[in-house]
mmCIF file of all heavy atoms in Angstrom:
data_model
loop_
_atom_site.group_PDB
_atom_site.id
_atom_site.type_symbol
_atom_site.label_atom_id
_atom_site.label_comp_id
_atom_site.label_asym_id
_atom_site.label_seq_id
_atom_site.Cartn_x
_atom_site.Cartn_y
_atom_site.Cartn_z
ATOM 1 N N ALA A 169 -23.237 10.521 0.480
ATOM 2 C CA ALA A 169 -24.328 9.791 -0.186
ATOM 3 C C ALA A 169 -23.849 8.428 -0.680
ATOM 4 O O ALA A 169 -24.551 7.421 -0.536
ATOM 5 C CB ALA A 169 -24.871 10.619 -1.348
ATOM 6 N N LEU A 170 -22.644 8.380 -1.250
ATOM 7 C CA LEU A 170 -22.109 7.118 -1.769
ATOM 8 C C LEU A 170 -21.801 6.140 -0.645
ATOM 9 O O LEU A 170 -22.031 4.935 -0.772
ATOM 10 C CB LEU A 170 -20.851 7.385 -2.603
ATOM 11 C CG LEU A 170 -21.088 8.040 -3.964
ATOM 12 C CD1 LEU A 170 -19.784 8.548 -4.554
ATOM 13 C CD2 LEU A 170 -21.760 7.050 -4.924
ATOM 14 N N VAL A 171 -21.268 6.647 0.459
ATOM 15 C CA VAL A 171 -20.995 5.784 1.617
ATOM 16 C C VAL A 171 -22.298 5.170 2.108
ATOM 17 O O VAL A 171 -22.373 3.970 2.393
ATOM 18 C CB VAL A 171 -20.300 6.590 2.743
ATOM 19 C CG1 VAL A 171 -20.309 5.816 4.056
ATOM 20 C CG2 VAL A 171 -18.868 6.920 2.344
ATOM 21 N N ARG A 172 -23.349 5.990 2.196
ATOM 22 C CA ARG A 172 -24.654 5.508 2.665
ATOM 23 C C ARG A 172 -25.232 4.449 1.720
ATOM 24 O O ARG A 172 -25.763 3.428 2.160
ATOM 25 C CB ARG A 172 -25.618 6.686 2.787
ATOM 26 C CG ARG A 172 -26.990 6.319 3.357
ATOM 27 C CD ARG A 172 -27.985 7.471 3.261
ATOM 28 N NE ARG A 172 -28.253 7.801 1.876
ATOM 29 C CZ ARG A 172 -28.054 9.013 1.346
ATOM 30 N NH1 ARG A 172 -27.584 10.001 2.070
ATOM 31 N NH2 ARG A 172 -28.322 9.238 0.065
ATOM 32 N N ASP A 173 -25.086 4.664 0.398
ATOM 33 C CA ASP A 173 -25.723 3.775 -0.577
ATOM 34 C C ASP A 173 -24.878 2.561 -0.961
ATOM 35 O O ASP A 173 -25.432 1.499 -1.263
ATOM 36 C CB ASP A 173 -26.054 4.559 -1.858
ATOM 37 C CG ASP A 173 -27.076 5.657 -1.606
ATOM 38 O OD1 ASP A 173 -27.785 5.591 -0.578
ATOM 39 O OD2 ASP A 173 -27.147 6.589 -2.432
ATOM 40 N N LEU A 174 -23.545 2.717 -0.956
ATOM 41 C CA LEU A 174 -22.689 1.641 -1.468
ATOM 42 C C LEU A 174 -21.907 0.874 -0.398
ATOM 43 O O LEU A 174 -21.754 -0.336 -0.510
ATOM 44 C CB LEU A 174 -21.688 2.211 -2.491
ATOM 45 C CG LEU A 174 -22.268 2.804 -3.765
ATOM 46 C CD1 LEU A 174 -21.168 3.378 -4.632
ATOM 47 C CD2 LEU A 174 -23.049 1.748 -4.544
ATOM 48 N N LEU A 175 -21.403 1.577 0.599
ATOM 49 C CA LEU A 175 -20.549 0.906 1.586
ATOM 50 C C LEU A 175 -21.390 0.418 2.770
ATOM 51 O O LEU A 175 -21.271 0.877 3.897
ATOM 52 C CB LEU A 175 -19.445 1.863 2.061
ATOM 53 C CG LEU A 175 -18.535 2.425 0.973
ATOM 54 C CD1 LEU A 175 -17.441 3.283 1.580
ATOM 55 C CD2 LEU A 175 -17.922 1.303 0.135
ATOM 56 N N THR A 176 -22.264 -0.547 2.466
ATOM 57 C CA THR A 176 -23.221 -1.014 3.464
ATOM 58 C C THR A 176 -22.701 -2.188 4.301
ATOM 59 O O THR A 176 -23.259 -2.486 5.344
ATOM 60 C CB THR A 176 -24.533 -1.429 2.780
ATOM 61 O OG1 THR A 176 -24.233 -2.414 1.781
ATOM 62 C CG2 THR A 176 -25.204 -0.238 2.132
ATOM 63 N N GLY A 177 -21.674 -2.854 3.845
ATOM 64 C CA GLY A 177 -21.138 -4.000 4.586
ATOM 65 C C GLY A 177 -19.991 -3.590 5.496
ATOM 66 O O GLY A 177 -19.804 -2.415 5.800
ATOM 67 N N LEU A 178 -19.225 -4.590 5.921
ATOM 68 C CA LEU A 178 -18.057 -4.341 6.764
ATOM 69 C C LEU A 178 -16.825 -4.164 5.898
ATOM 70 O O LEU A 178 -16.657 -4.866 4.901
ATOM 71 C CB LEU A 178 -17.810 -5.533 7.702
ATOM 72 C CG LEU A 178 -18.835 -5.817 8.799
ATOM 73 C CD1 LEU A 178 -18.461 -7.093 9.525
ATOM 74 C CD2 LEU A 178 -18.886 -4.665 9.780
ATOM 75 N N SER A 179 -15.945 -3.263 6.294
ATOM 76 C CA SER A 179 -14.640 -3.172 5.635
ATOM 77 C C SER A 179 -13.840 -4.403 6.014
ATOM 78 O O SER A 179 -14.155 -5.091 6.999
ATOM 79 C CB SER A 179 -13.901 -1.914 6.090
ATOM 80 O OG SER A 179 -13.547 -2.035 7.459
ATOM 81 N N SER A 180 -12.796 -4.696 5.257
ATOM 82 C CA SER A 180 -11.950 -5.854 5.578
ATOM 83 C C SER A 180 -11.390 -5.726 6.995
ATOM 84 O O SER A 180 -11.404 -6.680 7.779
ATOM 85 C CB SER A 180 -10.810 -5.983 4.564
ATOM 86 O OG SER A 180 -10.057 -4.784 4.513
ATOM 87 N N GLN A 181 -10.952 -4.526 7.338
ATOM 88 C CA GLN A 181 -10.370 -4.297 8.664
ATOM 89 C C GLN A 181 -11.393 -4.580 9.767
ATOM 90 O O GLN A 181 -11.088 -5.238 10.761
ATOM 91 C CB GLN A 181 -9.873 -2.857 8.754
ATOM 92 C CG GLN A 181 -9.084 -2.547 10.012
ATOM 93 C CD GLN A 181 -8.603 -1.100 10.029
ATOM 94 O OE1 GLN A 181 -9.044 -0.272 9.252
ATOM 95 N NE2 GLN A 181 -7.688 -0.801 10.932
ATOM 96 N N LYS A 182 -12.634 -4.103 9.584
ATOM 97 C CA LYS A 182 -13.684 -4.314 10.588
ATOM 98 C C LYS A 182 -14.057 -5.794 10.664
ATOM 99 O O LYS A 182 -14.319 -6.329 11.754
ATOM 100 C CB LYS A 182 -14.897 -3.469 10.221
ATOM 101 C CG LYS A 182 -15.901 -3.287 11.333
ATOM 102 C CD LYS A 182 -15.274 -2.805 12.605
ATOM 103 C CE LYS A 182 -15.696 -1.424 12.951
ATOM 104 N NZ LYS A 182 -15.184 -0.997 14.259
ATOM 105 N N ALA A 183 -14.084 -6.453 9.507
ATOM 106 C CA ALA A 183 -14.402 -7.888 9.493
ATOM 107 C C ALA A 183 -13.348 -8.687 10.265
ATOM 108 O O ALA A 183 -13.687 -9.577 11.052
ATOM 109 C CB ALA A 183 -14.499 -8.388 8.051
ATOM 110 N N PHE A 184 -12.079 -8.353 10.064
ATOM 111 C CA PHE A 184 -11.010 -9.073 10.755
ATOM 112 C C PHE A 184 -11.052 -8.786 12.258
ATOM 113 O O PHE A 184 -10.806 -9.683 13.070
ATOM 114 C CB PHE A 184 -9.641 -8.701 10.180
ATOM 115 C CG PHE A 184 -9.496 -8.995 8.701
ATOM 116 C CD1 PHE A 184 -8.572 -8.294 7.929
ATOM 117 C CD2 PHE A 184 -10.269 -9.956 8.076
ATOM 118 C CE1 PHE A 184 -8.441 -8.552 6.569
ATOM 119 C CE2 PHE A 184 -10.146 -10.214 6.719
ATOM 120 C CZ PHE A 184 -9.243 -9.514 5.964
ATOM 121 N N GLU A 185 -11.381 -7.539 12.610
ATOM 122 C CA GLU A 185 -11.514 -7.193 14.034
ATOM 123 C C GLU A 185 -12.661 -7.990 14.665
ATOM 124 O O GLU A 185 -12.546 -8.486 15.783
ATOM 125 C CB GLU A 185 -11.784 -5.696 14.202
ATOM 126 C CG GLU A 185 -10.565 -4.824 13.992
ATOM 127 C CD GLU A 185 -10.906 -3.335 14.007
ATOM 128 O OE1 GLU A 185 -12.046 -2.974 14.399
ATOM 129 O OE2 GLU A 185 -10.028 -2.540 13.633
#
Side-chain angles (χ1 to χ4, degrees):
L170 288 167
V171 167
R172 184 189 64 238
D173 296 341
L174 296 177
L175 302 183
T176 56
L178 293 175
S179 68
S180 56
Q181 188 179 13
K182 196 51 113 175
F184 301 156
E185 285 173 12

